Amino acid sequence: QVQLVESGGGLVQAGGSLRLSCAASGRTFSSYTMGWFRQAPGKEREFVTTISWSGGNTYYADSVKGRFTITRDNAKNTVYLQMSSLEPEDTGVYYCAAGRTVLSTNPNHYDYWGQGTQVTVSS
């Protein structure tokens, strides 16, 4: 029973930064593992990063390690994705997801999804 709404996407030049936010409804947000996925045209959803219930454990796709940071603020029912040193290949629709499987990279392990926010990185 989670509703997720992403925001913060937009157009940014290569090398720039964006911070995405995912606002969740419900009172059990803190009990979910949260993740970010992205999808480029013609491709399936791709794992980006995930964070545990407490925020103490994170995992990143190799493609974004050192550039992206996931955080969560359970008091605000919000998870964030800070993206730096953006590259054109980072372009896609970014989806926030919630699930019960800890630090999963598999989108099938996430039960709730937002509608996505578009991130476009120009060169």
Side-chain angles (χ1 to χ4, degrees), residues 37-41 88-95 117-121:
F37 292 77
R38 65 189 182 189
Q39 187 169 15
E89 293 178 344
D90 295 317
T91 294
V93 178
Y94 282 68
Y95 297 93
T117 184
Q118 178 71 45
V119 172
T120 303
V121 184

Side-chain angles (χ1 to χ4, degrees), residues 15-123:
S17 300
L18 283 174
R19 189 184 73 162
L20 306 184
S21 298
C22 173
S25 66
R27 301 180 182 181
T28 60
F29 172 77
S30 62
S31 68
Y32 288 91
T33 293
M34 302 297 297
W36 286 95
F37 292 77
R38 65 189 182 189
Q39 187 169 15
K43 300 187 68 176
E44 297 299 319
R45 282 173 294 179
E46 174 190 18
F47 169 77
V48 177
T49 182
T50 183
I51 187 168
S52 62
W53 299 351
S54 67
N57 293 292
T58 60
Y59 183 73
Y60 298 89
D62 288 341
S63 60
V64 305
K65 284 181 180 177
R67 300 188 299 117
F68 290 12
T69 302
I70 186 172
T71 58
R72 67 189 298 165
D73 186 339
N74 290 340
K76 296 181 179 179
N77 287 351
T78 303
V79 63
Y80 304 95
L81 181 63
Q82 177 65 51
M83 305 184 294
S84 300
S85 300
L86 283 163
E87 305 167 353
E89 293 178 344
D90 295 317
T91 294
V93 178
Y94 282 68
Y95 297 93
C96 176
R100 296 289 188 175
T101 303
V102 177
L103 301 184
S104 178
T105 65
N106 188 340
N108 293 327
H109 291 167
Y110 292 83
D111 302 309
Y112 305 98
W113 294 84
Q115 295 300 309
T117 184
Q118 178 71 45
V119 172
T120 303
V121 184
S122 63
S123 60

